[in-house]
Amino acid sequence: MNNKIKLNALAFTTIIFWSAAYPLTKVASQDFDCYTITAIRAVIAAVVMIIIGLATHMRKIFRLSHVLLFAIEGAFAFSLYVMVFNIGLQTLTTTTSSLIIATVPIFTAIGASRIFGEKLKPIGWISMGTAFAGVCILLLWDGDLSIGIGALWTFAAVLMFSAYNLINRKLENLGYNSMEIVTYALIFGAIELLPFAPRSIEQLAVAGAYSITAVVFMGIGTSALAYYTWAKALTYADKLNEVTNYLFLSPFITAILGWLMLAEIPGAGIYIGGAIIMLSLVVFSVKSR
């Protein structure tokens, strides 16, 4: 299996995991608030990765100066990112929030171009533009667009996750492997979410079995495994956007999983927008290098 196939398989697997987080969060929200869900996910994911890391003799952080990079990784991928995202969502519709988050590949491409010299051909930028257009069709076909102060918070979340991708590449260049990058980022993310530990314990004590199962699966699957497969995919990419462009697929996959798991019937925009997104990703993968 060549690196290109591995990259696509790992990135697609990650998007399936992350897309599953939306319906699973709905299930878990019956007994947990959003901050508690995030804290429990981070702790479970950190424990899982620590166990695997110890079993595989994971190396220690090379230098004290690298600790700050991992702390920022943890904040931009987990703790601070989720808080900012949820603040934005309080005054935005889900449609608007999803549309703004879908700009992550664009900002990542801009950052990678300036920091790592990862230049895209014109067809690459065109493919990203059409993929974003597909996201707009998918989300706005039957939805509504609301703009307010929440948009600024959500754009801050976009910049954080874009920065997370760039720092991931930086740590890779410093010699860390995917397991080490994800494990240390999750550890710091869990530490940063410790203020929510008391309320997490309180809610766990009275939560139902379905909610607990959903949170545990999110901790193992949509956090530990998904961030590992994402980081691993980035190691096979010559350019970050070969991986981050898969984020355009997230609303489409989420809609499909919402139909399968929650019986939420998708509208025509799902099929039209989804087809445009997938065609754009194929063109990007084949023609932009």
Side-chain angles (χ1 to χ4, degrees), residues 103-116 118 120 125 128 158-159 161-166 230 234 239-241 243-245 247:
T103 63
V104 166
I106 298 171
F107 285 99
T108 300
I110 294 171
S113 175
R114 296 186 65 86
I115 297 172
F116 301 116
E118 297 183 5
L120 284 180
W125 290 104
M128 280 202 296
V158 166
L159 295 177
F161 199 78
S162 299
Y164 164 76
N165 290 317
L166 297 171
W230 186 256
L234 289 173
K239 298 176 181 178
L240 288 176
N241 270 73
V243 178
T244 59
N245 271 12
L247 289 167

Side-chain angles (χ1 to χ4, degrees), residues 128-241:
M128 280 202 296
T130 55
F132 183 67
V135 172
C136 293
I137 291 172
L138 188 155
L139 294 173
L140 299 178
W141 189 272
D142 296 313
D144 61 300
L145 188 67
S146 64
I147 299 295
I149 189 65
L152 296 178
W153 286 101
T154 307
F155 270 121
V158 166
L159 295 177
M160 286 181 192
F161 199 78
S162 299
Y164 164 76
N165 290 317
L166 297 171
I167 296 172
N168 204 306
R169 177 68 100 191
K170 172 68 175 177
L171 289 167
E172 178 192 332
N173 292 341
L174 288 172
Y176 292 96
N177 61 39
S178 305
M179 178 68 70
E180 293 160 348
I181 292 172
V182 173
T183 301
Y184 287 123
L186 277 167
I187 290 172
F188 279 101
I191 291 172
E192 291 157 1
L193 288 164
L194 283 179
F196 296 102
R199 65 197 289 182
S200 299
I201 294 172
E202 292 175 2
Q203 292 178 23
L204 272 171
V206 296
Y210 285 119
S211 297
I212 294 175
T213 301
V215 170
V216 170
F217 180 83
M218 283 192 286
I220 298 172
T222 66
S223 293
L225 294 179
Y227 276 94
Y228 172 72
T229 54
W230 186 256
K232 190 68 175 178
L234 289 173
T235 65
Y236 291 123
D238 294 324
K239 298 176 181 178
L240 288 176
N241 270 73

